[in-house]
Amino acid sequence: MAGAAKEQVGKTVKRNFTNPMAGWVLAASLAMCGAFSARAAELDSGGLEVIKVRPDFYMIAGAGGNIGVNIGSDGIVLANAGSAAAADQVLAELKKLTDLPIRMIFNTEAGPDFVGGNLKLARAGLAVRTGSNLAEIIAFDAVLSRMSARNANPSYPGDAWPNDAFLANRHAVRMNDQGIEAWHVPAAHTDGDSVVMFRKSDVVVTGDIMNMDRFPVIDLDKGGTIEGEIEALNKVIELTIAPIPYIYKDVGTYVVPGHGRLCEQMEVVDYRDMVVIVRDNIEDLIKQGKTLDQIKAAHPALAYETRFGTEPGATDAFIESVYKSLTTTKK
Amino acid sequence: MTFNKLSLCLAMTCCVALPALAEIDLSGSWASINDEDAMERGAGPNPDDWAGLPLNAAGKAKALAFEQSTISMPERICWFQTQWHIAAGPFSLRMWAVPDPLTGRVQAWVIGAWETRAPMTIWMDGRPHPPKDAPHDQTGFTTGVWNGNELIATTTHMKSGYVRRNGAPISDEATIVTHFRRHGDMLTLTLFMVDPVYLTEPYIITRSYNLSTNPVSIGGPPCTQGDEGVPEGRVPHYLPGKNPMTSEMTKIYGIPAEAEMGGAETMYPEYRDKIKDKFVLPAKCERNCGGPRGGGGN
């Protein structure tokens, strides 16, 4: 009897703990709590989220692509400018942080969510080297070519174009008492990508070679390739330092991705591994003679679809770009 | 009733009522009782044992792709487990309270670190969780509230990791809710894992601890990034359909392949009825034996 009662109690307890309905009520409550806290942060900044990364560095999210903001004695140095639509809000947020002028804007690529804000932000700035009322815009040469092209879409006025375009793999300046390096990463998301490292702040801004909200976009028409994407992520891993040996006492190098939350080296490793694994899966299916449709049907990115493929079409677009990149390269 | 009697009555009422709001002292060293899931928490689970985990299709695919040498990658040697390792690891707990220097009230509870898990600070001062785009770190971010004499802690902002140490994944969007219940010298933790990326339902387990006078260590040594044989840049993984471990549970224990792959239904007792005709009790148990022919390898 006692044994039976005990067994029954055990069953009751177990069923209570494993009741799916109770679990989902809990899950819903948690989700609501999370939604409220995130929403509160957004409302304070007119839809933008301003994250303090280091004492001299901020990340502005929600303005199109993420923006890195370094503030020091020389003024403001930006890594990306966000979208045109959000430029006024970005300026308002910068004004809350400092009265110092915008001195430089690095563009990590030519996407409108990264360069759209160039015009307004540059015009609100003050150049160091020329003294003009236009902040310097620094980017790899392909960004200038793309933005200034006759058929550029969207089209940009000259003041929005990079006025300091570089062709070397590395372009460095010293501002705000720190070295700032732009590293060109060839043929990755596009052919004009660079990652920007703020040495003293210990922050790397990647642009869309890393997008924490979705699979990377490999824009083949603009010179992107899967191998270049992997090499670019490897470059970011190389530039960053994990918090070793004191794993939890400090943080390592921060990474501002093109979209999504602030990261450290480990997230870049996770993202690189994801891209490599999906590439390997697709490559194996190509070797088996599968067509693109057959490869899509085989779900080679299944392990990551619920994390990076929730945007409609994101998974298929990634698979297709990897497939085309691999098959084009092998010709 | 005289004034004094009324006062006494009110005071007694307050005393009776107080426990509903009372905090309980959780401080001390708590020795883990590792009878439950001893193999999973100690030596480690079988490589293909994902039974009892509510993995979705993506979670199963990620688990199947997992190669154990992943944790030997140079970039991952100093990687830490998430706070779920409280449940998935074998270690004991040491807890202490951090007082607010001005008010003396408990500002936070802390669970000390282990060799492969960062400390957990449970903020009790009502501070909000960080915004959604804030970084996720090795500790996660945890807040706590008292529900009577039960402490309920909610952890968010973790890095991705494993719900079981054989590659069953949890994502960086996961949340852990931990209930701390103390019954005299026994502490019971009930952990709820919610992960919209890899789980279809919350995964819930309990762990028990005995109060101990032997102090539990509160931190591991600093990590050294050694060479464990995986060259830099190599990403170990199995291609779909190429994981060589997927038949181990069937070979060793006769457990059907569909059960070892996990899924929500494998959490529930009635699932045994569903697979009983497919289960074949091995003539001889070769490894980690339990059950009717277990023990001593019979």
Side-chain angles (χ1 to χ4, degrees):
Chain A
M1 177 62 193
K6 192 175 175 183
E7 189 182 345
Q8 187 56 44
V9 169
K11 279 183 180 171
T12 305
V13 169
K14 181 149 189 172
R15 292 305 293 163
N16 281 341
F17 283 162
T18 54
N19 183 316
M21 197 60 205
W24 284 114
V25 169
L26 172 80
S29 304
L30 286 169
M32 285 177 70
C33 288
F36 283 142
S37 61
R39 186 69 186 144
E42 287 168 8
L43 286 175
D44 289 345
S45 303
L48 304 187
E49 200 175 359
V50 181
I51 306 283
K52 189 170 186 175
V53 180
R54 302 278 194 209
D56 66 345
F57 204 97
Y58 296 82
M59 179 182 98
I60 298 178
N66 286 332
I67 301 171
V69 182
N70 170 228
I71 299 172
S73 56
D74 296 324
I76 300 173
V77 177
L78 298 176
N80 289 321
S83 66
D88 287 330
Q89 287 173 279
V90 171
L91 276 175
E93 288 305 314
L94 293 174
K95 201 72 182 168
K96 289 181 196 170
L97 298 174
T98 180
D99 285 329
L100 293 169
I102 299 169
R103 296 296 199 171
M104 291 179 179
I105 302 170
F106 285 84
N107 286 152
T108 59
E109 61 174 275
D113 46 351
F114 294 96
V115 303
N118 274 6
L119 185 66
K120 279 193 175 174
L121 298 187
R123 284 182 174 169
L126 188 64
V128 174
R129 288 180 274 206
T130 64
S132 72
N133 290 326
L134 195 66
E136 290 173 43
I137 303 176
I138 303 169
F140 187 70
D141 186 65
V143 175
L144 172 61
S145 300
R146 195 143 285 130
M147 290 180 72
S148 60
R150 194 180 295 272
N151 60 349
N153 185 21
S155 62
Y156 300 94
D159 280 359
W161 301 349
N163 45 36
D164 184 4
F166 62 93
L167 282 162
N169 278 339
R170 174 175 174 269
H171 184 80
V173 298
R174 186 166 176 83
M175 287 284 289
N176 292 334
D177 302 314
Q178 71 171 326
I180 303 171
E181 299 170 299
W183 290 88
H184 174 52
V185 283
H189 160 57
T190 67
D191 60 3
D193 304 313
S194 48
V195 297
V196 183
M197 169 147 208
F198 295 80
R199 282 183 163 190
K200 189 173 158 190
S201 303
D202 200 12
V203 177
V204 176
V205 181
T206 70
D208 257 354
I209 62 166
M210 182 170 169
N211 184 332
M212 285 298 283
D213 290 343
R214 59 170 289 164
F215 290 114
V217 173
I218 314 289
D219 195 336
L220 302 173
D221 292 338
K222 291 178 180 165
T225 65
I226 182 63
E227 300 304 336
E229 168 71 19
I230 292 167
E231 284 310 307
L233 292 167
N234 282 332
K235 182 68 184 178
V236 178
I237 293 168
E238 181 189 321
L239 290 174
T240 53
I241 296 174
I244 296 170
Y246 298 110
I247 305 297
Y248 50 83
K249 184 181 170 191
D250 194 7
V251 294
T253 307
Y254 277 120
V255 176
V256 176
H259 293 81
R261 70 173 176 82
L262 187 60
C263 299
E264 293 177 84
Q265 188 195 64
M266 188 51 69
E267 281 87 353
V268 189
V269 173
D270 284 341
Y271 202 78
R272 186 274 314 267
D273 289 3
M274 176 269 288
V275 173
V276 168
I277 288 169
V278 175
R279 188 270 318 262
D280 288 355
N281 291 348
I282 293 172
E283 195 167 40
D284 183 57
L285 292 164
I286 291 171
K287 284 178 186 167
Q288 293 175 36
K290 306 283 186 191
T291 64
L292 176 58
D293 285 341
Q294 288 171 325
I295 289 172
K296 284 181 182 174
H299 294 285
L302 178 60
Y304 304 97
E305 286 182 19
T306 48
R307 178 62 180 82
F308 296 110
T310 54
E311 198 176 297
T315 303
D316 275 355
F318 182 50
I319 293 169
E320 194 165 329
S321 64
V322 174
Y323 173 85
K324 287 181 176 172
S325 182
L326 288 172
T327 50
T328 303
T329 305
K330 288 186 187 313
K331 278 178 183 173
Chain B
M1 187 179 284
T2 66
F3 181 74
N4 282 344
K5 280 182 179 172
L6 182 62
S7 301
L8 179 65
C9 186
L10 280 171
M12 288 180 70
T13 305
C14 286
C15 287
V16 171
L18 271 177
L21 302 168
E23 301 174 6
I24 282 197
D25 185 17
L26 298 171
S27 56
S29 288
W30 298 94
S32 181
I33 303 169
N34 283 342
D35 301 337
E36 190 182 14
D37 300 330
M39 183 178 150
E40 178 180 335
R41 300 172 69 190
N46 282 303
D48 60 335
D49 181 9
W50 299 295
L53 296 175
L55 295 172
N56 62 15
K60 292 175 185 178
K62 193 145 194 277
L64 281 166
F66 177 76
E67 190 185 317
Q68 195 66 40
S69 52
T70 297
I71 59 174
S72 290
M73 292 167 66
E75 303 95 330
R76 294 186 183 277
I77 285 172
C78 289
W79 169 83
F80 265 31
Q81 301 278 355
T82 68
Q83 295 296 353
W84 186 254
H85 204 51
I86 286 175
F91 302 102
S92 302
L93 306 179
R94 188 162 173 186
M95 294 184 69
W96 64 92
V98 179
D100 181 307
L102 296 178
T103 65
R105 297 182 65 175
V106 174
Q107 186 178 37
W109 283 97
V110 180
I111 301 176
W114 296 324
E115 205 169 294
T116 53
R117 182 187 63 75
M120 177 195 273
T121 300
I122 306 168
W123 296 105
M124 303 297 295
D125 53 6
R127 69 183 64 192
H129 281 246
K132 68 180 174 65
D133 287 326
H136 293 208
D137 62 21
Q138 302 284 0
T139 62
F141 188 89
T142 307
T143 57
V145 292
W146 287 100
N147 175 30
N149 55 15
E150 174 189 46
L151 174 62
I152 303 175
T154 303
T155 304
T156 60
H157 290 77
M158 292 177 289
K159 291 189 183 295
S160 61
Y162 303 104
V163 70
R164 191 174 282 171
R165 286 154 47 205
N166 55 6
I170 49 173
S171 79
D172 57 344
E173 294 180 9
T175 297
I176 301 171
V177 177
T178 308
H179 294 241
F180 296 79
R181 297 187 187 92
R182 179 174 182 168
H183 304 281
D185 287 348
M186 176 172 272
L187 179 69
T188 301
L189 270 56
T190 307
L191 298 101
F192 297 70
M193 166 67 77
V194 177
D195 184 0
V197 174
Y198 288 126
L199 304 181
T200 59
E201 294 181 20
Y203 179 50
I204 307 163
I205 58 178
T206 61
R207 294 290 180 245
S208 295
Y209 305 82
N210 284 328
L211 190 62
S212 170
T213 53
N214 293 325
V216 170
S217 170
I218 54 171
C223 181
T224 304
Q225 200 172 16
D227 181 356
E228 295 187 2
V230 178
E232 197 170 342
R234 183 183 162 233
V235 180
H237 69 98
Y238 293 118
L239 293 168
K242 305 280 176 65
N243 186 324
M245 311 289 186
T246 51
S247 56
E248 274 209 8
M249 293 292 283
T250 306
K251 283 181 190 163
I252 298 171
Y253 304 112
I255 293 176
E258 65 190 75
E260 71 181 41
M261 282 312 306
E265 67 174 342
T266 66
M267 295 195 296
Y268 297 105
E270 49 268 33
Y271 184 68
R272 286 178 296 190
D273 295 331
K274 184 177 175 181
I275 61 165
K276 67 181 179 186
D277 294 335
K278 298 175 185 173
F279 172 67
V280 181
L281 191 63
K284 184 179 180 183
C285 177
E286 301 285 354
R287 194 201 303 174
N288 300 311
C289 303
R293 296 184 199 176
N298 295 326

